[in-house]
Amino acid sequence: MTSPSHFSLLVVDDEPDLRTLYELTLLREGYDIETAGSVEEAWMHLKDRTYSAVITDMRLPDGTGLELLRRLEEAGRREKTIVITAYGSAENAVEALKAGAYDYLTKPVDLKQFRAVVASALGRGGPAVPTMDPSTLPSENGTPPTPRPARPAPAPAAPVSAALRRMAGHSAAMQQVRALVEKVARSMAPVLVNGESGTGKELVARAIHEISVRAAQPFIAVNCGAIPEQLLEAEFFGYRKGAFTGANEDREGFFQAANGGTLFLDEIGDLPLSMQSKLLRAIQERSVRPVGAVSEQAVNVRLLSATHKDLAAEVQAGRFRQDLFYRLNVIQIRVPPLRERLDDLPDITERVLERIASDAGVSPAPRLTREALQQLACYAFPGNVRELENLLHRAVALSGGETIAVADLGLPAAELGEAIVADNEVPDLRAIAFDEPPARFPPPVASLPAEEPLPSDLAAYLDDVERDILVRALERHRYNRTAAGASLGLSLRQMRYRMARLGVNVGSDGIGAERD
């Protein structure tokens, strides 16, 4: 583990007594310390050197700690930042975390917690062991020592996350998710992951943990909806021997098990109101009291949560506490459903099939035929990526070979319709997703004449073009509206709306278009 003396810290506070207190506390831990009393003085220090972390008060004579954080962000600096706010100022704390602060502390500062937060920000698992010379320790009358010349902390190499690698796909939506994961992993800000069931919310949470400074510490995942209400408090906070019938020994809860690491609360929206208030207190106080205990235990956890529900609507309905929602929803990451990123389907299926083959000890991994991949693209996937994984597991077992055909997928006919698309009518989904050479595409449709006159009624002209496209799609897919809509990127509801608006009717003898 890196020696404490290799870490240099800048403490920014306009109150000399508090500045001295923080300085002495950190010097005893073995850190190199410099101090400043204002934003400008701090910035002068920062221009001269790099620090491992910056600890700043929120209120300063010439500005705020948030202003200093923004300057660091704009300059592309890598220092971890810890903000000290007035007691009960939750709004300031949230703003600080959104501005990129690693963590925050409230006044009056508990020095034990102060040391723990600093150690956590620097990626140090336990309290620092002083390694200073006796001459550098504070004198008995409290006079602060002259700090040694400090050395910049080496920038740690970014760890490679297995969970991040498993987040397959090149779509804009997934690139945004990965960018947010990499950004929020640097701080202690609570993150709320929102998305439908099966989209990979826990995978996002694991990725945040695995590329954070807490990667070597525990990651504890809890499904809040799977625990009986009467057991929630004991499971979350632990219990003492004799606290209730069957409590034959002391037992730790989820918070204690995750101490120093990350606690992931999945389906947080399923927590009953009585437990929500206890969770809020644990988050605010950073301590928990086991069932049957008389004193609280300090805990140091990074809290991540996830839900498929609209928590803002749950707050309005009175089913979720507003103050807890604000605490959890500092940063929100939305994981898109699979139907919104079908361009990622070739990449996802390839990764899943490789993992299935690896687990089964099979080589090479099976591959989907072009027709099978196209049929998957016409399916809505209500269960998202989890449903796709289960479907591919079954298909691998049924195929028994190196390729998976349409028949092996066993997709429900009610969801797909009965249309089977001819091979020469469908562009290759893999080519579209990975920008492969255009030679693999079907022959292009002849373009309109370059000198075509401009329409006199643009709205009517566009309606005619759209009507013609809908009619051609329906004819190509044998009048199956679901398949025709999917080929145009439309849901069945959108397809019905456009057909009704443009007067396109599907009857027993084909298509009739009512034109004005």
Side-chain angles (χ1 to χ4, degrees), residues 348-401:
I348 297 171
T349 54
E350 184 175 348
R351 297 277 188 91
V352 172
L353 289 171
E354 286 175 354
R355 189 164 68 249
I356 293 172
S358 175
D359 292 343
V362 176
S363 182
R367 289 289 181 267
L368 289 165
T369 65
R370 185 166 174 269
E371 295 81 2
L373 186 60
Q374 187 62 44
Q375 191 175 66
L376 286 177
C378 294
Y379 183 56
F381 286 105
N384 293 292
V385 179
R386 183 184 296 124
E387 182 182 9
L388 174 61
E389 290 181 347
N390 293 338
L391 188 150
L392 292 177
H393 268 287
R394 182 183 63 202
V396 169
L398 292 175
S399 70

Side-chain angles (χ1 to χ4, degrees), residues 4 13 31 37 72 88 94 110 158 188 194 198 323 331 342 352 354 361 390 413 455 462:
D13 199 299
Y31 302 120
L72 289 167
V94 169
D110 178 276
M188 271 285 287
N194 189 268
D323 44 8
I331 298 172
L342 287 177
V352 172
E354 286 175 354
N390 293 338
L462 293 176

